[in-house]
Amino acid sequence: MTDVPRPATAQLLDLAVVSRPDWSVDQLRDVLAQARTEGMTWGRVLVAVAQLIADPDAEPPDLLAAHPEPWRQRRRLPAPETAHRGAAAVRAALHTESD
């Protein structure tokens, strides 16, 4: 099985240099390395950097904020009845017998 998309860090850095001359290429290289070390896939890095390049207010460190925390990826979604139990508890708390 091939690794698709294939990492192309040098080409991505070249694009950033041309597109965002206000960025430090060294800083972006460091941020890319940190993101990959933290487990961000190449596809996610590619999309996130493209979004940052398009945002005039973005900076390279913003890439790290785009990576979700690992606990969010492993967390199970609550069962549908959880919301119903919570709503019932709120109603019970609002409507006490002393009202």
Side-chain angles (χ1 to χ4, degrees), residues 7-87:
T9 304
Q11 292 81 0
L12 185 59
L13 289 170
D14 290 343
L15 176 64
V17 166
V18 173
S19 301
R20 293 300 302 262
D22 56 320
W23 285 0
S24 162
V25 71
D26 293 330
Q27 183 184 34
L28 180 58
R29 184 180 297 111
D30 292 345
V31 168
L32 286 173
Q34 185 175 351
R36 295 288 285 157
T37 301
E38 291 179 3
M40 189 180 270
T41 65
W42 173 252
R44 182 69 190 118
V45 166
L46 183 61
V47 169
V49 171
Q51 290 172 334
L52 293 177
I53 287 173
D55 182 352
D57 297 324
E59 294 289 330
D62 296 339
L63 175 65
L64 299 175
H67 185 56
E69 296 88 357
W71 66 269
R72 290 187 191 272
Q73 296 173 347
R74 291 189 302 265
R75 191 170 137 217
R76 290 183 314 177
L77 294 174
E81 63 272 3
T82 303
H84 298 291
R85 284 195 318 266

